[in-house]
């Protein structure tokens, strides 16, 4: 009697077995990638803002310290977004006519708040505290990226839990000293390094010297027994990874 | 995960699109004209549609498909599940706005709460408090440790009051015949009638207010009375202290305030006085001193407490010996006692069954002259009070354990009932053509024989100012929305006379106005604010140039230093003849008492208080008729039978609840239920006992008839079973036994040795948190339960869900009866999460949503929980609570403002439980680390610990041997609940020790 | 339909000693077997009876879908569960269904390895039963969670949270146990079907049917090579399936045994859960077999011998279960543990005592009638007994889950459990799922393995001997 299927069906059947496996695995893999992609994390995606505020210009250009606007970053969990008043401190003097700044002036006149869009937005069940991170020596740009190079603001990190844990499981990697030995030729060594966007971690080519009591201490590596991070973990009493990976560190 | 939310800093810099600026909300609400108008009409009409609508709004999920919140939730879920077929941990987040201030207030450090001192008036008496404020939103009431008359304690009403302030059912506009009027409109339209009254010296003007002790407000009254010589000012409180002052009148010829000093007392007799339950003047201080004197470590010095009680109270539950009498028999007992002590020849003999108790009592009292103390209950007859005074006098208590001073209520001279009666008479006689009702609700709570309503309707112009459009507002032309104490300036006095300042935490949420502002307008047609008025008064009072600094200091502390009323050296004149004894009521007696959680009905719309089980019978959301088992057997009734009560022709229907330790041939009903216009929470639940209450028998009456209707009336109680089944749950002993074998608690059960586990034991380098709860101190007042609810954003679930066994309280107080149902010993046991060392919950959670922390806590990670409920099944203490439905209200903006931004608001399908207030621990730890030090002992106080007036709960670091908790854990009374299971609970208990009189024990 | 073989069979049986009765009534040839089985699917018209039955159970299935939609919309609060009774019908049904599945695997795998020829006629639909039962069971672990849309967190996969599931939790073991079980059963069933599907392909006249069966037959030509591969694959899968019969329900029993709850925390659970599983499984086999052989007139292939054997298995496993109950009682007494003692007292006399006594009646007392040969050989009575046992086994899980939970350590937390209409709806729904699947199966697939039945013929015996020789 007549065959229903062509001979090729056999090989197709065989191929389909392998194909099926590949398809399933591929889909899962794709899904996991998608989930970590900027599509979900917004990483590197600038947000629409009422006023196109250029961090680049204010930080790099004018050299305004982070804390001028984000006033409570050292003392409160909430870094603080500047009230309109802060903008007007300068912009009542300069760029007073710039149409771009009209929303700011409008807000100041009417007393209605500006409504910015969050760039670094954690889920509401994650409780992040700026002050403790700053105090323990986590630099701004560790999480926020080179804000001084961002025109419109965006979050550079995925801000996903695994990303947080990366650091909490090995804090030494990202700690930096508040103050380093000042080198009059290098402005980067002036002031609190936490807020220094250009801070470079120690390496043999670029050693970092800090003051310990009345003498200086130089580091040529970040991690490892002789590393600066390791040293800072000790002197800043950073709690053990076991402690800072407790669920209650971030969730309540 | 996507729908576990918290109200964050976002609330002021909203991080959620559906969050609003306070101001915006206020705007919206004041703009709510059209809908408001109709709503009000509906309310007036009380149409079933309206009832139905309210029903739906109430988060009971009564009608399911129409529930807004869960519909939205549903969409979200579908979104979540379909968006990426079960892949990412969280769905894609929406873009969220940040809304900074335009000009940031100076003292405001975003993300850090501020604390302000204020005071909460309840009737006459005020309680000094601290209030936590997040970015301008009061979120949590705390005790004020510096306050001399509260010593840092709080009660259930204090804790829950913050919810009342945000109550979305509060009246949000001023109305004239149901139409909204702005405040200026109100004033301009009232001006005319005021002028008219001025002309007639106010002959037709009457004011009816609640009782108050506010010095500044009283001054305003006097000024009003000066301006209008003919005006009369009346006061009405349904739960009043008429008898107390009348008793003093009898004893001393003048009304006096009686205050007690338990710290000096050794033997205490209570004649039906429940000084250990919320709402009793001085509760906070008395409870603290009482429980300090009850420490068994005092050995022979430990206070002994005899209670003669009618309605079962948690006060008498703490007594070493109880005598259960009908309320009407207490006076007879007092007389007999007085003559037995030979203080007053008032006759009276002890009944046969009282003799044993009485003789032992008499001996004990006489043996402790100077340290003895006799209290009479607010609900007892004047004569009983007079006798108590006489006895105290004779026992040399006066000036030691008892002291007398000017009444805190400046209007104590005439009884509240009398005042209401006079007013009603005046209104009936048509003398009154303008009546101003301030924050009182006589249409609802007037005695049944005073027909206030019909009298009210005879008044030409009726103005009502209050928090709610309540029963009285319904029959007034004008309703002016009032202010909550957290929204206004003012002052009040505590039970000992100490003056406390009321300072607002927030400007009136619903643009209300305080009574002082209204009176000021009536008097001088001047629109001064409550702030100006209060300050003006104290300026006039304060002699000396340093007013500013004095004012600032007093505001900061919350009270005026040294303002307690001075003691009066008076002696009870036993000569004054007592009125003839009122014969003990014949037949079944009905006893009226204020409700343990909603007081006289003013808190009826407070979900937290409604859901708080009554301390003694653990029933919530209703006011059952309490009856003794024997009487019920005789009348052949059982719990949850619907019964009809009939007293002098007046009838009500209610549910019956059998109560161990209730006197026979009597029933107890509590006031405050059966509200018609309380709001979506409090309307139409329970029955109004006021319908039976007569002005000549406010607290008890004879000859009530109880008839079963044959219907079943279901009641909700989170604790169905109050027997210990012979298990060593609450461990107790007598003082003798304790002195003989201090470790008695350990001999009851054999605890397995430490380290008996397959898993690696944990080590705790930094902290090791623990809690000790002293069962001897706990008086079962439930304050901790409400405090926990406020601190941790715990949802209210409603009667139906409680009946299904789904109440959400993280910290419950179990009470167990032991012994005969006629006279059981009752023990209270607060049960939070035990934070076990070998926690059964941790190993069974498939997604590690509950995990052991490096400081010994069982972390509960809501956003990781998928809701298998295995942890709860495996928890021997059943302290875990599950969101079976969407219990949290994610819609009502006002309620969001109340929430603690430091705690996630749990959504549907998530397990939750006590975390030792991890948010407080974390904040303390961060502060400590930033100052490079360890967390100090006492720096972290859990909400329950802070609230407890009895100091029964102590939390701290077990690694610090010097900490209070470590010391308590070292006590020999310390034991772990169900320790035989080797769960190694971190919350442990100090066994209870009673101090019975050996004579009576045998 | 023809009654002859039935009567003939019983007649012959009367004369034979028990056990000797044939598993295939004499008179069949290779052709008749094939023809008979094939005709049921390919030539038999759709009867009203079938339509009616299918419609009914399909209705129930839709009821389940509705109930589940509402469940996802409102939350598990629509069920009767509460604190303390955190688990209710959902878990009861889960355990019950998984248990039922076991008989299928036992018959098809273990009896195959044990060369029990009589299994041949019932193993096919027994496997189908397993598959559908596991499907029903699989519904519950998902929907009983508070947030089913996140239930995939139970699987260990590299997630963005950087955390793994709790490998110490029995619920996680469940996930693996049940999913493995489902996979193996499905494979085993399908592999078994291949030769018969080929037969269908070849005998079907309808081109659509031909194509579909052709696809499913995966090019089976019945060549010696095919048969050789087939045999080894089949035996291999049987080997894989065999341990599962024991392991799956053991793991399920750990859900309870691992906890500290009196009434759950018992070492006897694994064995008596497995026994119970097979007990209920065989009951379900009979509940299916008896009507099928009646309506499709295959009494000559599913003879009284089969019923008799199944009944004996039930008798045996039933006694093991009875032993389990006794042991529970004994532990409670012998442990001297107050909580254990109370738990047992509460089962006997507590507010839910009715469930325990019904359980004893249905699972222990009534099944004793199976000692009587007449009952074992009477389809009607067997059918009723099987239904009783199924109900009893469901009650057993109810007693274990609910009555243990509702009164545990602290009297203050004691509660009650009352199932809501939604509990019943979901349960009825799974019955709908199960039986509508069964209805489709008997109409679309060879419910009896053609080639294995042929092996039972004397001719086959011969060829086997030949095979044995070389």
């Amino acid at each position: 009697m007549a065959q229903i299927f062509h001979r090729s069906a056999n090989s197709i059947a065989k191929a389909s077995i392998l194909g099926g496996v590949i398809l399933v695995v591929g889909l899962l893999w794709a899904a996991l990638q998608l989930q970590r992609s900027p599509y979900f994390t917004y990483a590197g995606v600038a947000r629409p803002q009422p006023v196109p505020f250029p961090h680049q210009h204010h930080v790099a250009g004018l050299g305004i310290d982070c804390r001028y606007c984000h006033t409570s970053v050292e003392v409160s969990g909430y870094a603080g977004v500047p009230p309109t008043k802060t903008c007007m401190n300068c912009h009542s003097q300069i760029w007073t006519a710039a149409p771009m700044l009209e929303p700011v002036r409008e807000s100041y006149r009417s007393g209605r708040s500006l409504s910015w869009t969050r760039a670094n937005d954690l889920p509401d069940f994650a409780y992040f505290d700026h002050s403790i991170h700053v105090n323990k020596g986590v630099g701004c740009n560790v999480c926020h990226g080179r804000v001084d190079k961002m025109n419109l603001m965006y979050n550079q990190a995925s801000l996903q839990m695994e990303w947080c844990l990366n650091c909490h499981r090995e804090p030494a990697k990202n700690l930096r000293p508040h103050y380093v030995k000042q080198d009059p030729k290098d402005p980067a060594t002036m002031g609190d390094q936490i807020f220094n966007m250009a801070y470079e971690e120690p390496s043999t080519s670029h050693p970092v010297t800090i003051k310990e009591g009345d003498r200086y201490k130089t580091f040529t590596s970040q991690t490892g027994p002789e590393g600066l991070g390791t040293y800072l973990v000790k002197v800043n009493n950073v709690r053990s990874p076991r402690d800072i990976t407790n669920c209650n560190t971030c969730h309540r | 995960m996507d729908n576990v939310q918290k109200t964050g800093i976002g609330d002021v810099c909203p991080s959620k699109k559906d969050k609003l600026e306070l101001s915006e909300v206020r705007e919206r609400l004041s703009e709510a004209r059209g809908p408001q108008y109709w709503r009000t009409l509906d309310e007036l009409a009380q149409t079933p549609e309206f009832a139905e609508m309210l029903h739906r709004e109430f988060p009971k999920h009564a009608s399911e498909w129409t529930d807004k919140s869960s519909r939205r939730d549903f969409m979200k879920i579908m979104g979540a599940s379909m968006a990426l077929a079960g892949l990412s941990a969280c769905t894609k987040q929406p873009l969220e706005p940040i809304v900074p201030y335009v000009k940031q207030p100076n003292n405001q450090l975003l993300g850090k709460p501020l604390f302000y001192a204020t005071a909460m008036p309840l009737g006459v008496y005020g309680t000094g408090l601290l209030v936590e404020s997040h970015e301008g939103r009061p979120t949590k009431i705390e005790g004020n440790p510096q306050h001399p008359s509260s010593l840092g304690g709080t009660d259930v009403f204090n804790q829950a009051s913050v919810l009342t302030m945000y109550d979305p059912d509060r009246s949000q506009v001023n109305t004239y015949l149901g139409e909204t009027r702005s405040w200026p409109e109100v004033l301009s339209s009232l001006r005319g009638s005021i002028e008219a009254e001025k002309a007639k010296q106010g002959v037709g003007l009457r004011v009816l207010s609640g009782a108050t002790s506010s010095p500044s407000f009283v001054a305003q009254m006097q000024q009003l009375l000066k301006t209008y010589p003919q005006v009369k000012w009346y006061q009405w409180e349904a739960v009043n202290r008429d008898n107390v002052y009348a008793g003093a009148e009898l004893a001393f010829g003048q009304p006096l305030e009686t205050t007690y000093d338990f710290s000096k007392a050794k033997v205490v007799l209570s004649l039906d006085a429940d000084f250990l339950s919320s709402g009793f003047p001085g509760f906070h201080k008395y409870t603290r001193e009482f429980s300090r004197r009850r420490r068994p470590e005092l050995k022979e010095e430990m206070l002994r407490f005899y209670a003669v009680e009618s309605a079962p109270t948690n006060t008498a539950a703490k007594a070493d010996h109880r005598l259960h009498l009908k309320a009407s028999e207490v006076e007879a007992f007092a007389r007999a006692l007085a003559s037995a002590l030979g203080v007053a020849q008032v006759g009276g003999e002890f009944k046969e069954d009282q003799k044993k108790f009485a003789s032992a009592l008499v001996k004990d009292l006489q043996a402790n002259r100077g340290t003895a103390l006799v209290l009479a209950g607010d609900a007892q007859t004047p004569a009983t009070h007079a006798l108590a005074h006489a006895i105290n006098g004779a026992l040399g208590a006066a000036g030691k354990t008892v002291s007398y001073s000017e009444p805190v209520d400046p209007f104590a001279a005439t009884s509240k009932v009398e005042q209401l009666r006079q007013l009603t008479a005046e209104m009936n006689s048509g003398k009154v053509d303008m009546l101003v009702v301030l924050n009182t609700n006589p249409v609802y709570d007037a005695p049944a024989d005073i027909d206030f309503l019909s009298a009210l309707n005879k008044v030409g112009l009726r103005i009502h100012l209050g928090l709610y459009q309540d029963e009285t507002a319904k029959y007034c032309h004008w309703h002016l929305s009032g202010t909550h104490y957290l929204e206004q300036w003012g002052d009040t006095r505590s039970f000992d006379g100490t003056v406390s300042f009321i300072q607002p935490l927030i400007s009136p949420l619903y643009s209300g106005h305080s009574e002082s502002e209204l009176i000021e307008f009536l008097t001088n047609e001047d629109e001064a604010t409550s702030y100006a008025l209060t300050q003006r008064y104290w300026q006039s009072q304060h002699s000396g140039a340093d007013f500013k600094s004095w004012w600032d200091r007093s505001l900061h502390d919350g009270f005026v230093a040294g303002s307690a009323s001075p003691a009066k050296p008076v002696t009870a004149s036993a000569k004054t003849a007592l009125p003839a004894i009122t014969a003990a009521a014949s037949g079944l007696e009905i006893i009226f008492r204020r409700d343990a959680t909603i007081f006289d009905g003013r808190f009826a719309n407070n979900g937290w208080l409604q859901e708080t089980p009554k301390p003694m019978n653990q029933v919530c959301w209703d006011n059952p008729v309490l009856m003794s088992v024997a009487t019920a057997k005789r009348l052949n009734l059982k719990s949850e039978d619907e019964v009809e009560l009939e007293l002098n022709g007046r009838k009500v229907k209610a549910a019956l609840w059998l109560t161990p330790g209730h006197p026979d041939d009597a029933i107890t009903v509590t006031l405050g239920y059966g509200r018609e216009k309380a709001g979506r929470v409090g309307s139409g639940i329970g029955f109004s006992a006021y319908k039976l209450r007569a002005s000549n028998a406010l607290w008890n009456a004879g000859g009530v008839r109880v008839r079963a209707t044959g219907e079943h009336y279901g009641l909700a109680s989170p604790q169905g079973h109050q027997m210990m089944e012979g298990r060593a749950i609450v461990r107790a002993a007598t003082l003798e036994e304790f002195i003989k074998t201090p470790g008695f608690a350990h001999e009851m059960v054999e605890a397995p040795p430490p380290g008996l586990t397959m898993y690696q034991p944990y080590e705790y380098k930094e902290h090791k948190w623990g809690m000790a709860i002293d069962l001897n101190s706990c008086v079962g007042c439930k304050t901790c339960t409400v405090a926990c609810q406020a601190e941790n954003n715990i949802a209210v679930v409603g009667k139906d869900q409680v009946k299904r066994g789904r109440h959400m309280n993280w910290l419950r107080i179990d009470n167990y009866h032991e012994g005969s149902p006629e006279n059981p010993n009752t023990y209270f046991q607060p049960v939070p999460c035990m934070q076990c060392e070998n926690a059964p919950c941790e190993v069974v959670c498939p997604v590690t949503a509950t995990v052991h922390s490096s400081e010994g806590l069982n972390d509960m990670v809501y956003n990781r929980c998928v809701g298998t409920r295995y942890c709860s099944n495996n928890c021997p203490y059943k302290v875990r609570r599950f969101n079976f439905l969407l219990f949290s209200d994610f819609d009502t903006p006002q309620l969001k403002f109340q929430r603690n931004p430091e705690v996630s608001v749990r959504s549907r399908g998530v397990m939750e439980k006590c975390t030792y207030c991890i948010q407080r621990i974390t904040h303390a730890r961060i502060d400590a680390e930033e100052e490079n030090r360890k967390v100090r002992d006492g720096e972290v106080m859990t909400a329950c610990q802070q609230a407890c007036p009895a100091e029964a709960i102590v939390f701290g670091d077990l690694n610090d041997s010097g900490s209070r908790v470590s010391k308590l854990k070292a006590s020999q009374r310390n034991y772990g609940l169900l320790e035989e299971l080797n769960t190694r609970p971190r919350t442990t208990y100090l066994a209870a020790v009673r101090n019975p009189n050996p004579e009576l024990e045998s | 339909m023809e009654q002859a073989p039935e009567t003939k069979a019983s007649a012959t049986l009367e004369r034979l000693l028990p056990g000797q009765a044939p598993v295939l009534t004499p008179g069949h040839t290779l052709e008749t077997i094939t023809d008979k089985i094939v005709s049921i699917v390919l030539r038999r018209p759709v009867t009203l009876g079938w339509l009616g039955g299918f419609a009914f159970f399909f209705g129930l299935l839709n009821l389940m879908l509705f109930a589940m939609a509402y469940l996802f919309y409102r939350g598990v609060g629509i069920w009767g569960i509460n604190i303390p009774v955190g688990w209710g019908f959902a878990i009861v049904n889960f355990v019950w269904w998984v248990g039922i599945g076991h008989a299928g695997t036992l018959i098809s795998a273990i009896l195959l390895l044990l060369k029990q020829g009589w299994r041949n006629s019932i193993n096919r639909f027994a496997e189908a039963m397993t598959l559908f039962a596991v499907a029903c069971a699989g519904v519950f672990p998902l929907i009983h969670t508070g947030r089913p849309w996140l239930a995939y967190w139970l699987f260990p996969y590299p997630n963005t949270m950087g955390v793994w599931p709790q490998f110490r939790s029995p619920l996680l073991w469940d996930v693996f146990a049940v999913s493995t079980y489902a996979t193996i059963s499905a494979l085993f069933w399908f592999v078994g079907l291949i030769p018969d599907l080929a037969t269908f392909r070849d005998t079907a006249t309808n081109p659509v049917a031909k194509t579909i069966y052709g696809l499913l037959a995966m090019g089976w030509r019945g060549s010696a090579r095919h048969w050789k591969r087939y045999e080894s694959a089949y035996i291999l899968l049987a080997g894989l399936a065999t341990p599962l019969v024991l392991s799956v329900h053991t793991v399920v029993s750990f859900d309870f045994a691992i906890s500290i709850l009196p009434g759950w925390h018992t070492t006897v659970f694994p064995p008596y859960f497995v026994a119970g599983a097979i007990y209920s499984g065989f009951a379900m086999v009979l509940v299916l077999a008896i009507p099928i052989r009646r309506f499709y007139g295959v009494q000559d292939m599913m003879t009284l011998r089969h019923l008799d054997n199944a009944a004996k298995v039930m008798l045996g496993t039933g006694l093991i279960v009875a032993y389990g109950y006794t042991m529970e009682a004994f532990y409670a007494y012998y442990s001297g543990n107050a909580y254990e003692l109370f738990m047992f007292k509460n089962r006997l006399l507590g507010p839910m005592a009715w469930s325990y006594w019904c359980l004893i009646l249905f699972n222990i007392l009534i099944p004793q009638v199976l000692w009587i040969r007449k009952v074992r050989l009477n389809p009607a009575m067997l059918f009723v007994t099987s239904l009783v046992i199924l109900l009893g086994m469901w009650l057993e899980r109810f007693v274990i889950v609910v009555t243990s939970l509702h009164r545990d350590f602290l009297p203050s937390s004691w509660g009650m459990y009352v199932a809501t209409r939604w509990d019943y709806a979901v349960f009825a729904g799974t019955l709908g799922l199960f039986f509508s699947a069964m209805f489709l199966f008997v109409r679309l697939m060879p419910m009896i393995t053609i080639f294995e039945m042929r092996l039972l013929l004397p001719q086959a015996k011969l060829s086997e001997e030949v095979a044995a020789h070389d």
Side-chain angles (χ1 to χ4, degrees), chain B residues 1 64-65 74 87-88 727 804 806 814 844-846 865-870 873-874 878 884 908 980, chain C residues 70 72-73 77 79 81-83 86-87 144 146-147 152-153 166 169 255 259-260 339 408-409 412-413:
Chain B
M1 180 144 182
E64 295 154 340
W65 287 96
F74 181 49
L87 263 176
S88 89
R727 302 175 181 183
R804 292 169 188 270
R806 297 170 181 177
D814 293 341
V844 297
C845 173
C865 176
V866 299
T868 66
R869 303 179 299 285
Y870 198 171
N873 291 347
N874 210 26
K878 290 289 173 284
F884 288 92
R908 173 196 132 190
E980 63 269 34
Chain C
Y70 186 56
F72 290 151
Y73 166 67
W79 290 340
I81 47 176
N82 55 31
I83 308 288
W87 285 351
H144 102 285
R147 302 199 290 167
Y152 64 90
W153 281 353
Q166 163 70 280
S169 167
D255 290 352
S259 85
I260 67 169
Y339 304 113
D408 64 347
F409 296 96
S412 64
S413 310

Side-chain angles (χ1 to χ4, degrees), chain B residues 470-483:
Chain B
D470 58 17
E471 291 82 350
T472 306
K474 179 175 163 187
Y475 295 99
C476 292
H477 304 101
W478 284 95
H479 166 74
L480 314 180
S481 95
T483 50

Side-chain angles (χ1 to χ4, degrees), chain A:
Chain A
M1 82 195 167
Q3 286 292 348
I4 330 165
F5 300 101
H6 186 265
R7 290 189 65 78
S8 59
N10 294 336
S11 20
I12 295 174
K14 290 191 190 107
S16 67
I17 299 173
L18 183 62
V21 174
I22 293 172
L23 185 72
V24 171
V25 174
L27 280 176
L28 287 174
W29 178 84
L32 290 176
Q33 291 316 307
L34 177 67
Q35 186 190 0
R36 292 172 166 87
S37 71
Y39 174 74
F40 276 104
T41 63
Y42 292 106
V45 182
R47 310 289 200 284
Q49 301 291 7
V51 179
F53 176 83
H55 271 88
Q56 184 180 28
H57 171 66
H58 289 80
V59 180
L62 306 172
I64 299 175
D65 186 285
C66 309
R67 289 161 290 182
Y68 180 75
C69 299
H70 308 291
T71 48
S72 50
V73 70
E74 289 171 299
V75 285
S76 163
Y78 180 63
V81 169
T84 316
K85 174 84 170 54
T86 311
C87 312
M88 292 305 283
N89 289 347
C90 301
H91 289 292
S92 52
Q93 268 56 310
I94 55 173
W95 294 103
T96 49
M100 195 195 288
L101 295 178
E102 181 48 29
V104 181
R105 294 191 293 270
E106 163 54 27
S107 150
Y108 199 60
R109 275 197 302 276
S110 66
R112 274 188 204 290
S113 300
L114 284 160
S115 176
W116 303 92
T117 314
R118 264 175 199 273
N120 290 275
D121 185 11
L122 283 176
D124 289 349
F125 45 76
Y127 290 79
F128 176 83
D129 187 297
H130 275 95
S131 63
I132 191 65
H133 287 83
V134 168
N135 280 278
K136 296 289 180 186
V138 180
C140 299
N141 58 317
V142 170
C143 303
H144 292 288
R146 291 300 297 269
V147 172
D148 60 333
K149 293 192 172 142
M150 298 180 187
N151 203 340
L152 279 181
M153 192 60 185
Y154 55 83
N155 58 313
Q156 96 157 7
S158 74
L159 299 180
Q160 280 166 328
M161 183 167 162
E162 61 183 358
W163 171 79
C164 302
L165 283 172
N166 258 333
C167 185
H168 276 233
R169 283 174 176 157
E170 206 183 339
K173 281 189 307 192
N174 293 307
L175 296 185
R176 64 176 69 167
H178 277 269
Y179 295 99
V180 297
K181 186 178 184 195
Q182 295 205 348
D183 166 3
K185 286 191 283 332
D186 175 6
T189 61
M190 310 290 171
D192 191 334
Q193 293 303 303
I194 300 297
F195 305 95
N196 172 9
M197 288 288 147
Y199 172 84
E200 278 179 57
E201 70 177 36
S203 62
T204 41
S205 58
H206 171 272
V208 172
T209 310
I210 66 171
K211 205 161 196 291
E212 185 194 46
D214 46 8
R215 51 193 190 72
Y216 288 105
K217 204 169 183 335
T218 305
F219 293 88
T220 55
S221 68
Q222 176 68 15
T223 49
E226 287 308 305
L228 172 59
T230 325
Y231 169 80
L232 288 172
V233 165
K234 200 160 83 269
V235 297
N236 293 355
N237 306 322
V238 175
R239 296 189 299 149
S240 71
R242 168 76 177 95
D243 286 313
I244 57 177
T245 51
N246 280 336
C247 301
N248 69 40
T249 312
C250 310
H251 302 298
R252 306 164 193 160

Side-chain angles (χ1 to χ4, degrees), chain B residues 22-81:
Chain B
L22 273 171
S23 56
E24 287 180 45
V25 172
R26 238 182 255 108
E27 248 168 60
R28 282 196 188 181
L29 295 168
S30 56
E31 284 160 0
R33 297 219 184 288
Q36 193 62 36
Y37 169 71
W38 285 114
R39 182 170 166 211
T40 325
L41 280 197
D42 281 345
E43 269 171 334
L44 287 172
Q46 275 294 318
T47 58
E49 295 80 0
F50 175 67
E52 197 271 336
M53 182 269 277
L54 285 190
H55 193 43
R56 224 189 300 117
E57 280 181 25
F58 183 47
K60 266 186 196 175
H61 305 282
S63 48
E64 295 154 340
W65 287 96
T66 47
D67 185 289
K68 290 196 309 313
S69 50
S70 50
R71 196 187 307 112
R72 220 194 48 220
D73 200 31
F74 181 49
M75 300 321 294
K76 220 187 270 162
I77 293 157
M78 283 311 158
S81 46

Side-chain angles (χ1 to χ4, degrees), chain B residues 767-771 956-961 963 965-966 969 986:
Chain B
H767 299 290
K768 180 175 167 187
W769 303 113
M771 182 182 274
D957 186 354
L958 302 178
N959 274 352
D960 162 8
S961 56
S963 67
V965 67
S966 305
K969 296 237 179 199
R986 207 160 263 285

Side-chain angles (χ1 to χ4, degrees), chain B residues 741-762:
Chain B
T741 50
F744 69 91
H746 302 285
E747 296 177 0
M748 302 177 92
V749 168
E750 184 193 5
L756 199 64
T757 164
M758 282 167 54
Y759 300 116
Q760 273 299 325
Y762 301 97

Side-chain angles (χ1 to χ4, degrees), chain B residues 196-207 221-234 426 431-434:
Chain B
E197 282 303 331
K198 267 235 177 66
K200 301 182 285 171
Q201 295 197 321
V203 66
L205 174 59
R206 295 291 179 272
V207 183
M221 287 183 195
Q222 276 136 8
Q223 214 214 338
L224 178 79
L225 299 177
K226 238 189 252 92
T227 339
Y228 305 74
Q230 304 290 334
V231 166
K232 288 219 183 64
W233 188 301
Y234 297 105
E426 285 197 309
K431 283 213 204 78
V432 186
D433 39 43
M434 177 172 176

